[in-house]
Amino acid sequence: MEIKNICVLGAGLMGNGIAQVCAQAGYSVTLRDIEQRFVDGGMNTIRKNLAKEVEKGKRTQEDMNAVLGRIKPTLDMKEAAANADIVVEVVIEVMDVKKKVYAELEEIVPAHCLFFTNTSGLSITEMAAVTKRPDKFIGTHFFNPVPVMRLLEIIKGYETSADTLAAAEAWGKKIGKELVVVKEAPAFVVNRILCTMLNEAFFVLGEGLASPEDIDKGMVLGCNHPIGPLALSDLVGNETLLRVIDGLHRELGDKYRPAPLLVQLVRAGRFGRKVGKGVFNYK
Ligand code: 3HC
């Protein structure tokens, strides 16, 4: 089956990046969100990213226009998904919300359409089970910022077919990513390791062992990480980190207890860069 049309559901931090890399690879993309301001925000980010590349001489203005021309923003689920060969679902990390989206999609998409979910750690198998096509369902976990980060982590659910895996791998390569294919488990592989480390940084901060700046400096200069764990948590979103850790804690036990300071920051609305304040202030 030739893949031409990609529907991306969710125009936020990850969704707009996924739409951008798909359009760059030549796919025709619909980018759907539930409010005009989210769709506009996503399109503005893509425009800004591409314009930066034009400024740096990495892309021509014509190419930028062509990439933008391949992305159709919309609020209408039917318009977004009716002709989709692949739906990449990037909606909020709440299982019940994702399940509702899949129930709605089933009534709209063509029979051959594949469902790819971008989740930080929710069960692929549980989402797939509410659809009539669990064999055509797979996890495709991207990393922020999507246009920059090279990895795509692919997660097979219990019923995922070999054909769906092959299609996800071919698509991942075409959009320029390196792939790892992993088995399903809470938070999969990369987030199980990464988010545990980020959570530990919040324990260290909460215990007053060092300042946030020095914790980050330690990991940047001592371990060659590109940014420190607290700055990274602000980049990913502290509420997203907490959701992943809560999932690990629920399924794998006390080793993954969320750091009290992380819980408190989330309660304070300090979600990170996207709201201008997290561990650090950005305004
Ligand atoms: N969108 C697009 N491009 C971006 C970008 C963004 N949001 N942020 C930075 N870039 C580009 C810049 O334009 C620049 O491009 P150039 O090399 O062509 O000039 C390049 O990336 C480097 O950017 P900067 O020079 O501004 O800054 P840095 O060198 O500090 O790089 C970074 C920024 C790439 C974000 C780097 O800090 C980094 O790698 N941080 C770690 C990111 C990471 O670990 N991500 C994974 C998070 S976990 C996750 O997403 C999973 C989820 O489920 C929780």
Side-chain angles (χ1 to χ4, degrees), residues 14 49 52 56 58 120 141-145 147-149 191 194-195 226-227 232 235-236 240:
M14 305 302 281
N49 284 345
K52 251 195 233 160
K56 290 179 194 158
K58 291 184 169 177
S120 300
H141 181 211
F142 284 84
F143 296 84
N144 178 26
V148 179
M149 302 305 284
N191 274 354
L194 175 71
C195 294
I227 54 176
L232 182 54
L235 177 73
V236 163
T240 299

Side-chain angles (χ1 to χ4, degrees), residues 241-276:
L241 173 65
L242 182 57
R243 280 205 188 97
V244 175
I245 293 291
D246 275 338
L248 283 167
H249 188 212
R250 212 170 32 248
E251 295 208 33
L252 299 179
D254 253 9
K255 181 177 162 191
Y256 299 95
R257 182 169 67 90
L261 181 60
L262 172 63
V263 175
Q264 198 181 19
L265 276 183
V266 172
R267 285 181 181 153
R270 286 187 160 264
F271 297 156
R273 271 181 185 275
K274 64 186 161 200
V275 296

Side-chain angles (χ1 to χ4, degrees), residues 183-196:
K183 289 185 184 154
E184 182 174 40
F188 322 128
V189 169
V190 179
N191 274 354
R192 165 117 162 236
I193 298 168
L194 175 71
C195 294
T196 305

Side-chain angles (χ1 to χ4, degrees), residues 19-280:
Q20 181 184 329
V21 294
C22 287
Q24 283 172 191
Y27 291 111
S28 180
V29 181
T30 51
L31 179 59
R32 192 257 178 179
D33 214 314
I34 51 175
E35 286 184 36
Q36 193 60 45
R37 64 194 170 108
F38 299 144
V39 172
D40 291 345
M43 288 306 292
N44 283 339
T45 301
I46 295 171
R47 225 172 272 120
K48 251 191 259 164
N49 284 345
L50 294 170
K52 251 195 233 160
E53 291 187 11
V54 172
E55 252 170 57
K56 290 179 194 158
K58 291 184 169 177
R59 190 182 289 284
T60 64
Q61 184 65 49
E62 294 70 48
D63 187 55
M64 169 174 166
N65 296 343
V67 172
L68 286 173
R70 284 195 284 274
I71 307 175
K72 184 161 197 233
T74 179
L75 297 178
D76 184 334
M77 184 74 131
K78 278 199 181 119
E79 185 185 13
N83 294 316
D85 300 312
I86 294 173
V87 172
V88 189
E89 168 273 308
V90 201
V91 307
I92 187 170
E93 285 282 278
V94 177
M95 182 57 88
D96 284 348
V97 176
K98 287 194 184 264
K99 284 180 177 173
K100 270 193 199 129
V101 167
Y102 285 112
E104 190 182 350
L105 274 174
E106 270 296 359
E107 305 303 315
I108 298 172
V109 298
H112 69 269
C113 180
L114 305 176
F115 288 162
F116 292 180
T117 179
N118 180 75
T119 167
S120 300
L122 296 177
S123 168
I124 311 302
T125 301
E126 187 176 344
M127 281 182 255
V130 303
T131 73
K132 293 174 193 147
R133 59 188 82 206
D135 58 316
K136 295 188 171 63
F137 200 110
I138 198 162
T140 50
H141 181 211
F142 284 84
F143 296 84
N144 178 26
V146 175
V148 179
M149 302 305 284
R150 292 160 61 205
L151 186 69
L152 176 64
E153 185 181 34
I154 296 181
I155 309 102
K156 289 194 293 179
Y158 191 81
E159 307 277 2
T160 305
S161 71
D163 284 351
T164 300
L165 173 60
E169 287 178 307
W171 173 77
K173 284 183 193 154
K174 191 165 167 188
I175 60 175
K177 298 302 177 195
E178 295 280 340
L179 313 177
V180 291
V181 179
V182 307
K183 289 185 184 154
E184 182 174 40
F188 322 128
V189 169
V190 179
N191 274 354
R192 165 117 162 236
I193 298 168
L194 175 71
C195 294
T196 305
M197 184 193 72
L198 301 189
N199 189 44
E200 199 59 33
F202 282 97
F203 273 114
V204 168
L205 181 61
E207 288 166 25
L209 303 185
S211 67
E213 290 79 10
D214 279 355
I215 291 169
D216 275 8
K217 186 174 173 184
M219 296 307 288
V220 170
L221 300 185
C223 302
N224 256 359
H225 290 188
I227 54 176
L230 299 169
L232 182 54
S233 187
D234 276 353
L235 177 73
V236 163
N238 294 313
E239 84 295 1
T240 299
L241 173 65
L242 182 57
R243 280 205 188 97
V244 175
I245 293 291
D246 275 338
L248 283 167
H249 188 212
R250 212 170 32 248
E251 295 208 33
L252 299 179
D254 253 9
K255 181 177 162 191
Y256 299 95
R257 182 169 67 90
L261 181 60
L262 172 63
V263 175
Q264 198 181 19
L265 276 183
V266 172
R267 285 181 181 153
R270 286 187 160 264
F271 297 156
R273 271 181 185 275
K274 64 186 161 200
V275 296
K277 58 182 185 173
V279 177
F280 302 104

